[in-house]
Amino acid sequence: MSFDNILGNNDIKELLNNSIKSNNILHSYMFVGTDGIGKSLFAKEFSKMILCHADNKPCNTCSSCIKFDSDNHPDFMIINSEDTKSIKIGQIRFLQEQIAEKPIVSSRKVYIINNSDLMTVEAQNCLLKTLEEPPEYATIILILSNENKLLNTIKSRCTKISFKNISKEDLIKYANQNNISTTNTLLDICNGSINKLISLKDDSEIYSTLDNILSDFSRKDIADIWNESEILYKSKDNISNLLDYFNIYFFNKLKMNQDSKYINSIKIVEQTKRRLSSNANYDMCIDSLLLKIWEEFNEGNNRS
Ligand SMILES: [Zn+2]
């Protein structure tokens, strides 16, 4: 059984394993789902299995597997966006030139197009020709999150495999195995994305500081809150993630207790996001964010 090192989507593991065992490999697939949940890992592992020479795939020892693992397999190619904005017709034409040549190491050739929802319409129309009449040895795997950006003519020629977000339990399991410290709020921010969890790993100290700030709103003076919030003032590049953290925290509180201060705090965070995106003074936005939330949490106390 392969895909052992990939988290979640066990039904897809079974499906792909079975298609390898029965040698029922199709010419074109569409791997669809949220970014960062492992679609590319699945596609690479599947490709390695398709290309492997042994009965028990992937064997990790045949010449195909060795070339694959050293990123040096002549029958395998990954197309990525060159400018992170689009995949252009030139890249698809290159794929077509390559795919027309017979495989060298393996009996098949596999092409992965990452973020294929970034293909321009011209690129898609160009790819369509290959999808309509693929060489018998070729498999193309399109990886994408937004199906609406693909032409229907492309979609109708691919077998769609839908990936589910990783469950919270699986994320916790992964975090424990890899010594990543998490909080409930942090797991909610990840929204089933293992990549997001990994990218947040190095920031775990920041998030525990945020936890302290959030729990101090009702206990401390605003001057102390401002003092301990230095991290917010220093995190201009990452502020959008930190504000999301605030909101998920308030939202979780709201689920347990329908107190208007949580709704109002969410509104204050959203307002801050809008002000920041219209280039308002950064420090002043953070000052005001903290003060307004503090007022929400202390209004009742002040009145009494
Ligand atoms: Zn092998």
Side-chain angles (χ1 to χ4, degrees):
M1 181 87 173
S2 192
F3 304 106
D4 287 343
N5 298 323
I6 308 178
L7 208 61
N9 284 294
N10 290 333
D11 50 339
I12 295 177
K13 290 178 187 172
E14 201 179 319
L15 177 87
L16 298 180
N17 271 315
N18 285 340
S19 65
I20 291 280
K21 268 185 220 148
S22 58
N23 199 19
N24 187 16
I25 315 292
L26 305 174
H27 286 301
S28 40
Y29 296 88
M30 234 168 45
F31 284 12
V32 186
T34 311
D35 283 334
I37 54 173
K39 300 187 297 295
S40 299
L41 285 176
F42 268 89
K44 274 191 85 174
E45 185 75 0
F46 187 45
S47 305
K48 187 175 170 183
M49 290 162 84
I50 293 173
L51 298 169
C52 172
H53 297 156
D55 289 335
N56 203 356
K57 302 172 198 291
C59 69
N60 295 319
T61 52
C62 73
S63 58
S64 171
C65 285
I66 288 169
K67 282 186 188 301
F68 193 94
D69 286 338
S70 60
D71 292 326
N72 188 24
H73 200 301
D75 304 323
F76 174 69
M77 185 190 282
I78 300 178
I79 310 271
N80 288 302
S81 165
E82 284 166 355
D83 56 7
T84 72
K85 291 190 196 93
S86 64
I87 293 175
K88 301 196 170 69
I89 189 167
Q91 293 181 268
I92 302 301
R93 286 203 182 116
F94 181 67
L95 178 154
Q96 286 171 329
E97 281 165 24
Q98 299 292 314
I99 213 168
E101 291 169 16
K102 292 212 159 64
I104 299 169
V105 171
S106 299
S107 57
R108 299 189 67 93
K109 293 186 101 167
V110 187
Y111 292 80
I112 294 176
I113 306 180
N114 270 327
N115 298 311
S116 49
D117 38 7
L118 293 179
M119 279 190 289
T120 61
V121 173
E122 296 76 35
Q124 292 189 44
N125 277 319
C126 182
L127 180 67
L128 193 57
K129 288 176 210 144
T130 306
L131 295 178
E132 278 166 351
E133 288 175 34
E136 27 82 37
Y137 49 77
T139 291
I140 297 175
I141 304 173
L142 306 183
I143 296 180
L144 63 149
S145 56
N146 187 354
E147 255 183 279
N148 296 328
K149 296 213 174 137
L150 285 192
L151 300 174
N152 285 332
T153 43
I154 295 262
K155 285 191 268 188
S156 67
R157 282 178 175 81
C158 297
T159 297
K160 176 177 165 184
I161 299 190
S162 299
F163 284 72
K164 291 187 202 77
N165 288 359
I166 310 285
S167 70
K168 212 176 205 180
E169 291 70 35
D170 277 342
L171 281 181
I172 293 171
K173 204 162 92 187
Y174 180 87
N176 290 340
Q177 282 166 355
N178 293 277
N179 291 323
I180 302 174
S181 56
T182 60
T183 62
N184 232 344
T185 313
L186 200 61
L187 291 167
D188 283 337
I189 277 199
C190 292
N191 188 26
S193 163
I194 195 85
N195 281 4
K196 185 112 186 183
L197 179 66
I198 294 166
S199 74
L200 295 175
K201 176 177 76 160
D202 300 330
D203 295 336
S204 60
E205 223 168 283
I206 296 179
Y207 288 103
S208 82
T209 310
L210 291 192
D211 278 340
N212 290 336
I213 299 169
L214 286 159
S215 62
D216 281 347
F217 272 120
S218 52
R219 293 191 303 207
K220 289 191 175 174
D221 277 347
I222 182 62
D224 294 327
I225 300 282
W226 277 328
N227 278 337
E228 72 178 271
S229 301
E230 203 188 341
I231 190 70
L232 287 175
Y233 293 93
K234 280 186 180 167
S235 301
K236 196 169 175 179
D237 291 339
N238 192 24
I239 191 65
S240 149
N241 279 334
L242 305 193
L243 291 179
D244 283 345
Y245 192 90
F246 268 45
N247 264 357
I248 289 172
Y249 173 90
F250 293 134
F251 187 70
N252 284 340
K253 290 279 181 196
L254 187 63
K255 279 194 282 189
M256 290 182 284
N257 177 357
Q258 295 287 322
D259 190 318
S260 64
K261 71 183 175 207
Y262 298 123
I263 301 176
N264 291 339
S265 296
I266 291 172
K267 286 182 190 162
I268 293 165
V269 172
E270 289 305 321
Q271 194 185 33
T272 305
K273 283 187 185 173
R274 281 195 298 276
R275 289 182 61 198
L276 287 172
S277 67
S278 61
N279 288 324
N281 178 285
Y282 183 80
D283 285 1
M284 277 167 68
C285 283
I286 303 298
D287 283 347
S288 148
L289 165 84
L290 295 170
L291 176 63
K292 284 180 181 164
I293 295 175
W294 182 84
E295 283 172 349
E296 284 299 325
F297 278 75
N298 291 279
E299 229 178 24
N301 300 345
N302 292 344
R303 273 191 211 129
S304 59

